Amino acid sequence: MTLLDLTPRATATSRLATLPVVVIGAGPVGLAAAAHLLERGVDVIVLEAGDGPAAAVRRWGHIRLFSPWRHLVDPASRRLLEASGWVAPEPDAAPTGRELVESYATPLAELEAMRPRIRYGSRVIAVAREGMDRTRSTGRETTPFVIRYVTTDGIGELTARAVIDASGTYDSPNPLGSTGLDLLGTAGLGDRLVHPLPDVLGRDRTRFAGRHTTVVGAGHSAANTLLALATLAESEPGTRITWLIRNPTAVRVSSSTEDELGDRAALGSRLDALVDSGRIEKVDSFEIGSVERRGDGARLIGMRRGAASVHDTDLVVGATGFRPDLSMLREIRLGLDDIVEAPVRLAPLIDPNVHSCGTVEPHGFDELRHPEHGFFIVGMKSYGRAPTFLLATGYEQVRSVVAWIDGDMRAATQVRLTLPATGVCSTDLGGCC
């Protein structure tokens, strides 16, 4: 069995062959990578920063996914689960994030074959080559990776034959401003600035009840929060809602009849009705330049349609999307697109300047490769700053990547991916998907 390729230059040394593959992140895609590795008999260690599987998903567990179960279960993971007697949920039902964790991710992580290989409370802070910084080239491809991580007991290190980074993007949201930089005054807002996808109707209810909340962002995360706030306002007097976007329209939140995910299309229809009825105030074409704390609330300062403008509110929910945290990969040779920070071969397929549809061409190890031989970014993080990632995409990514790691080039290159289409684009450049 070869290490990463069928070419002689990548043939495994005797030491490399004894080392595990390290997967960063025990979310659905990271667990799927581990399942595929286990199915092929490849040793694996999963490092997860949280205290359980799919920790990020649990944080937005109150949100219902657009995709039904038939798109949410990885095939290799299904085979492992069903061998233990697991019964799949109704394929056409769309679960909440919490249900995804409880009915799928947790049973998968608790399998006898999987559980000993996951190390919780282990936050990766750096990936490098053993004895090499990124400037050294001789012998690099046959030198093990070093993965440094932090636990409550201190700092530890692992060596690995290959690394699959499935750490996601949930902890690195985009700033509110259109420059991509943190706005001047952001640090002073404190708890008036809220992380995306708060549990408005659950644990965060008292924070929003009877207050004016402004949701900034034009995607589905913003839409989910706006709908929850509208429900809250029905029973909590004084609850006000503003939706603030920088463009004239929010095309991604659409009620297109061509969207094959009905729940996604319905989201746009419901939001349109709330805006039309006045229950949600919509402020479009607002470019935020700075923010400041103002009494018990916040003031957004910027430009609207060419004129200076301010917007006062009590709370600001930043729902402007996410970006990859690349700080732990400083010593890894990455090949990232200049625009979306996705792997260079993948970027043209997902660049929102070209399209932002829910469909994407099939892609696998070849589109995910970096100059660092044996290192891959998969899952949501592989999309960089591009939106519309679906779990089924990540599952096919790791299937191909793991086949490549195992030297099975035939399986690695036979990439197949069928995703539900949206019928929507976020640009008017034409030729979507």
Side-chain angles (χ1 to χ4, degrees), residues 10 57 163 179 283 303 378:
V57 179
V163 177
T179 63
V283 178
M303 299 290 290
V378 299

Side-chain angles (χ1 to χ4, degrees), residues 173-176 193-198 214-217 221 316-322:
N174 285 323
L176 295 175
L193 179 60
V194 184
H195 193 277
L197 295 173
T214 297
V215 179
V216 180
S221 294
V316 179
V317 177
T320 52
F322 301 88

